[in-house]
Amino acid sequence: MSRSVDPLVVGRVIGVVIDMFAPSVDMAVVYTSRKVSNGCQMKPSATNEAPTVHVTGNNGDNNFFTLIMTDPDAPSPSEPSLREWVHWIVTDIPGNSSTTTSGQGSKRAREPASSAKQPNVERKKKGPAASTTDKELPSAADQGAAKPRTSGKEVVPYVGPCPPIGIHRYIFVLFKQPTGKPLLVTAPSVRNNFNTRTFAVEHGLGFPVAATYFNAAKEPGSRRR
């Protein structure tokens, strides 16, 4: 992954969700066989399953990382009253590792209609290394998900994109955890109106070390939820 932040500035990821930062590790986000590149277009149907996330780089050794995926355009880019809608939070990801997933059936929650299947999350050592109503965050069991298997901790289960209107940005932000120790995190009670900056400050995460994003819009012929 290129460590230039220019695409993040152009896409207003820097400014809206995070502040200017200097990337220090490489993060690759891959859905099935397609790697996310800044500003690329992805179909919601291709992102039902949580992606594989590779973290590599010299600064990855002996460190732990926290990954956040959010949608700052919920429910509509022109009126993002639910900004940010949090889709996924994983903490305690070992440096120079991969997060791989394999789901067992999908169930859609609402983004202001969003939902997706809960993945099984497996961590492999060494890799190449919105959106709904104000409702309580469902547990993995509530969403019919398989229990995650991971060396990291899935704090907020993955929910795939389901944009009801307009083109939404889906942003992955990676933070290095302080002191290389596990992070004590309480999952937010709701997914809407999450704030990545506030979360980082509250948990002493500092500035991001990597970020990337893709765009997605409602697919033609998809049922309105």
Side-chain angles (χ1 to χ4, degrees):
M1 170 185 110
S2 168
R3 290 191 180 178
S4 170
V5 296
D6 291 349
L8 301 175
V9 174
V10 173
R12 296 183 302 111
V13 171
I14 289 178
V16 173
V17 175
I18 55 178
D19 295 318
M20 182 63 72
F21 72 100
S24 58
V25 301
D26 294 321
M27 176 177 67
V29 179
V30 182
Y31 282 97
T32 312
S33 60
R34 185 176 180 188
K35 179 180 175 181
V36 172
S37 59
N38 285 318
C40 72
Q41 191 77 18
M42 301 280 287
K43 292 182 178 180
S45 59
T47 59
N48 284 344
E49 299 285 348
T52 298
V53 180
H54 304 283
V55 179
T56 57
N58 292 335
N59 289 333
D61 292 325
N62 302 316
N63 288 309
F64 289 98
F65 296 86
T66 290
L67 176 71
I68 299 172
M69 177 187 177
T70 70
D71 171 7
D73 300 314
S76 163
S78 60
E79 296 183 15
S81 59
L82 300 180
R83 174 181 293 170
E84 303 160 36
W85 181 268
V86 62
H87 281 259
W88 200 24
I89 298 179
V90 183
T91 64
D92 304 341
I93 300 170
N96 287 322
S97 69
S98 301
T99 299
T100 63
T101 66
S102 61
Q104 293 190 2
S106 188
K107 190 179 182 179
R108 295 279 234 189
R110 297 197 174 185
E111 214 179 291
S114 160
S115 98
K117 135 173 63 176
Q118 300 312 328
N120 281 334
V121 182
E122 296 179 0
R123 195 83 46 211
K124 283 194 294 193
K125 272 254 178 195
K126 258 188 166 169
S131 299
T132 39
T133 56
D134 186 14
K135 94 187 220 183
E136 286 192 5
L137 186 65
S139 67
D142 292 338
Q143 293 190 354
K147 185 177 180 181
R149 300 187 307 274
T150 174
S151 57
K153 181 181 179 182
E154 190 176 49
V155 176
V156 174
Y158 180 85
V159 167
C162 188
I165 186 171
I167 298 173
H168 290 225
R169 293 163 292 171
Y170 294 91
I171 301 165
F172 295 87
V173 184
L174 188 72
F175 294 93
K176 186 171 77 171
Q177 295 176 196
T179 71
K181 294 181 180 178
L183 196 67
L184 297 177
V185 176
T186 299
S189 60
V190 295
R191 292 183 184 265
N192 54 281
N193 300 116
F194 179 81
N195 189 293
T196 298
R197 287 187 179 95
T198 299
F199 182 91
V201 170
E202 289 177 347
H203 296 90
L205 296 173
F207 290 100
V209 293
T212 190
Y213 79 103
F214 66 88
N215 296 319
K218 184 179 178 181
E219 295 181 64
S222 61
R223 240 182 357 174
R224 183 165 188 125
R225 291 188 213 18

